[in-house]
Amino acid sequence: MSLTPLNIVLFGIVALFGVGFYGLLITRNLIKFVMVLQILIKGVVLALVFAGKLSGNLGLGQSTAATVIVADTIVAVVGLALAVQVRRRFGTLDVPKISTLRG
Amino acid sequence: MVGMEYLLLLLGAIFCAYRAIVSKKILSSTIYLACISALVSAVLYLLGAPQVAVMELSVGAGLVTVLLVYAVSVVGEDALDPASVIPKPLAFVVVGLVAAFLGWMIYPSIQIAPETGPVDLASVLWQSRVLDVWIQIVLIFSGVMGVLGLLSERMPEGSKETHS
């Protein structure tokens, strides 16, 4: 496997996705959860533009990436709003603790 | 060496991503997240997608960082991240397998096809992807509602004040 720019970008996409997936598995804090989702989505945005470049239709890749960025931001906003309200209601951001609470 | 700039930028992004996950302080994680956005937007620019790079930089490194800092200031640095539910070595092995499988599936298909469609984002977005624009408008409306939820100070009915 030669070290061309395309291979490097592919490695970067897979590695970003892997780190994000690892974070998703080990994180328990709700705010960190939102951050980990952001990392995963950054890998996805990179992959969409990369796929557009490979398929010779960069405009399509860019437009889908733009849509994903907007959706990702909304996910972050709604996730953070939920986290703030959960913290106010339950006094914790720890997901397993929240799932065992009643109220 | 050809592609050295890609290598440096992506290694930086991966390092920042790892630090963002393992960092004990949420505020430090937020700064690392902004760094990832900046580095990824540089890679996007090098790939020939300047509009998306600007969006990623302004939204990822700007708006989301501000929102995260605001959320941290509201809830407080409450917490060192407790031990994970899944053992970390097991998570590492699972992620390694998934990443290797993903790379193995994608790698054979890497070859650049000749340019077939328009490169300009505006022409694609306003002519063939108009539905995306409408979806984005609806999403932004939901985001405004989310910000109102984030800024809301009112406690839910029947709940007790649990923090000082």
Side-chain angles (χ1 to χ4, degrees):
Chain A
M1 178 175 162
S2 57
L3 212 56
T4 63
L6 293 182
N7 289 342
I8 294 169
V9 175
L10 172 66
F11 163 75
I13 290 166
V14 172
L16 263 182
F17 202 77
V19 173
F21 189 40
Y22 176 71
L24 209 58
L25 288 177
I26 67 164
T27 303
R28 288 172 63 170
N29 187 308
L30 267 181
I31 291 184
K32 266 206 161 175
F33 220 81
V34 174
M35 288 184 191
V36 167
L37 283 178
Q38 292 279 317
I39 294 173
L40 268 174
I41 297 291
K42 282 178 205 331
V44 170
V45 167
L46 205 53
L48 282 171
V49 172
F50 186 58
K53 190 175 177 68
L54 287 184
S55 64
N57 202 344
L58 191 56
L60 183 62
Q62 283 200 79
S63 74
T64 45
T67 308
V68 168
I69 289 173
V70 172
D72 165 49
T73 310
I74 305 310
V75 166
V77 169
V78 174
L80 287 174
L82 279 174
V84 168
Q85 297 301 331
V86 162
R87 175 74 167 82
R88 283 186 179 149
R89 192 180 176 93
F90 298 116
T92 181
L93 287 171
D94 192 8
V95 177
K97 270 189 199 165
I98 295 164
S99 60
T100 57
L101 289 172
R102 296 281 179 270
Chain B
M1 186 183 122
V2 182
M4 182 57 95
E5 64 274 23
Y6 287 99
L7 190 64
L8 290 175
L9 289 169
L10 284 168
L11 280 179
I14 293 159
F15 173 74
C16 288
Y18 180 71
R19 290 300 308 163
I21 287 170
V22 299
S23 177
K24 298 286 181 194
K25 287 192 171 180
I26 298 178
L27 208 53
S28 312
S29 300
T30 307
I31 304 299
Y32 280 120
L33 194 67
C35 290
I36 301 167
S37 266
L39 293 167
V40 166
S41 63
V43 176
L44 289 171
Y45 181 78
L46 289 176
L47 281 174
Q51 290 101 332
V52 174
V54 169
M55 272 184 81
E56 174 62 38
L57 190 62
S58 57
V59 171
L63 178 65
V64 173
T65 307
V66 170
L67 284 171
L68 279 166
V69 170
Y70 178 74
V72 171
S73 75
V74 169
V75 301
E77 273 279 353
D78 99 308
L80 298 177
D81 213 5
S84 62
V85 181
I86 301 173
K88 285 183 181 174
L90 176 63
F92 191 77
V93 170
V94 169
V95 168
L97 287 175
V98 169
F101 185 62
L102 198 62
W104 176 69
M105 281 200 308
I106 301 173
Y107 181 66
S109 64
I110 290 195
Q111 47 196 332
I112 293 186
E115 204 68 46
T116 55
V119 179
D120 185 26
L121 175 63
S123 60
V124 175
L125 209 53
W126 291 107
Q127 285 166 19
S128 53
R129 308 286 298 179
V130 181
L131 184 63
D132 281 6
V133 178
W134 285 107
I135 290 173
Q136 286 180 30
I137 292 169
V138 172
L139 284 173
I140 289 169
F141 182 73
S142 337
V144 172
M145 295 292 120
V147 170
L148 291 180
L150 187 64
L151 297 175
S152 160
E153 294 289 337
R154 198 165 59 87
M155 291 287 294
E157 296 215 0
S159 68
K160 285 196 297 188
E161 185 78 33
T162 49
H163 68 290
S164 57

